[in-house]
Amino acid sequence: MEISQKKPTYGLEDLESVLLSETQIANRVSELAKEILSHYGDRDITIICVLSGAIVFTSDLIRNLKLPTRLDCLRSDSYGSSTKPNDPPRISSPLKNDIENRHVLLVDDILDTGNTLSELIEHLGQSKPASLRTCVLLDKKERRQLKIKADYVGFNVPDAFVVGYGLDFAEHYRSLPCIGVLKPEFQKGSYFQC
Ligand code: IMP
Ligand code: MG
């Protein structure tokens, strides 16, 4: 007898549920930009986007910020092709611009265990920025392993593997306009199954 196995479409059909719609995200990004603006005033800031997950969020955020901004990127890989993080995360891609004495805003997609953000903060701190703040679109507090908080948080999310709006599973789903929970059958090595 043939066992039928569903194949992923890499589209909205692979989601178990939508947590955050395109409109909810857009509204919150605009609010976050106002919060950031009220802190920095008209100071010149350097935004550092953590590749690849934060690329969509960062591009919307900078277009909502009416501030003079420099943009730079760092790469941090923690998941590879599974939904369990590597330990410790790998930081690669050096910055293009010198951040010494500059106001830096580090932007990531999601704060999960906290390992990535704390590693990046330590790494960037060595370059002696004038200030260093952090902004994450999503905060998955339940899974935190380190005592770390972001200065700006878009949404708190439950302990589930989410994709879309830049967040991926094995490099798929980044271009979905919303954020949702991936169906368990499309996750391999998921922490749901451990
Ligand atoms: P942390 O080091 O555990 O805090 O993980 C942070 C990084 O893991 C984020 O920058 C994401 O790239 C990735 N990550 C954590 N949770 C998820 C998720 O639910 N979906 C997709 N990527 C995630
Ligand atoms: Mg990431």
Side-chain angles (χ1 to χ4, degrees), residues 105-146:
L105 180 65
L106 179 62
V107 180
D108 204 355
D109 50 2
I110 183 165
L111 180 52
D112 186 21
T113 63
N115 288 306
T116 304
L117 209 60
S118 80
E119 191 106 342
L120 289 169
I121 290 169
E122 202 195 302
H123 177 79
L124 294 173
Q126 290 166 10
S127 300
K128 304 206 168 31
S131 68
L132 176 54
R133 291 199 145 215
T134 52
C135 174
V136 295
L137 179 66
L138 307 178
D139 191 349
K140 220 194 266 181
K141 285 201 175 104
E142 279 173 60
R143 292 199 3 112
R144 200 77 92 253
Q145 291 171 359
L146 301 174

Side-chain angles (χ1 to χ4, degrees), residues 50-51 53 76 78-79 85 89 108-117 140 143-144 160-163 167-169 174 191:
V50 184
L51 298 173
S76 162
S78 48
Y79 277 75
D108 204 355
D109 50 2
I110 183 165
L111 180 52
D112 186 21
T113 63
N115 288 306
T116 304
L117 209 60
K140 220 194 266 181
R143 292 199 3 112
R144 200 77 92 253
F161 198 81
V162 294
V163 295
L167 292 117
D168 74 311
F169 172 68
R174 291 196 199 276
Y191 52 67

Side-chain angles (χ1 to χ4, degrees), residues 15 19 79-80 82-85 110 112 140 143 158-163 167-170 172-173 179-183 187 190-192:
L15 299 182
L19 282 185
Y79 277 75
S82 82
T83 56
K84 286 177 100 181
I110 183 165
D112 186 21
K140 220 194 266 181
R143 292 199 3 112
D159 179 8
F161 198 81
V162 294
V163 295
L167 292 117
D168 74 311
F169 172 68
H172 293 289
Y173 306 105
I179 292 174
V181 180
L182 193 57
K183 285 180 182 162
Q187 304 178 31
S190 152
Y191 52 67
F192 291 137

Side-chain angles (χ1 to χ4, degrees), residues 15-67:
L15 299 182
E16 190 170 67
S17 60
V18 172
L19 282 185
L20 300 164
S21 69
E22 196 174 351
T23 309
Q24 282 174 298
I25 298 170
N27 291 340
R28 187 66 189 121
V29 172
S30 149
E31 285 172 6
L32 277 175
K34 286 182 192 137
E35 286 177 38
I36 292 168
L37 198 60
S38 81
H39 172 75
Y40 288 101
D42 57 3
R43 272 176 286 177
D44 194 333
I45 61 172
T46 301
I47 303 241
I48 300 183
C49 166
V50 184
L51 298 173
S52 305
I55 206 161
V56 180
F57 173 41
T58 307
S59 71
D60 282 344
L61 188 66
I62 57 172
R63 284 177 293 169
N64 272 271
L65 279 172
K66 311 278 183 287
L67 269 181

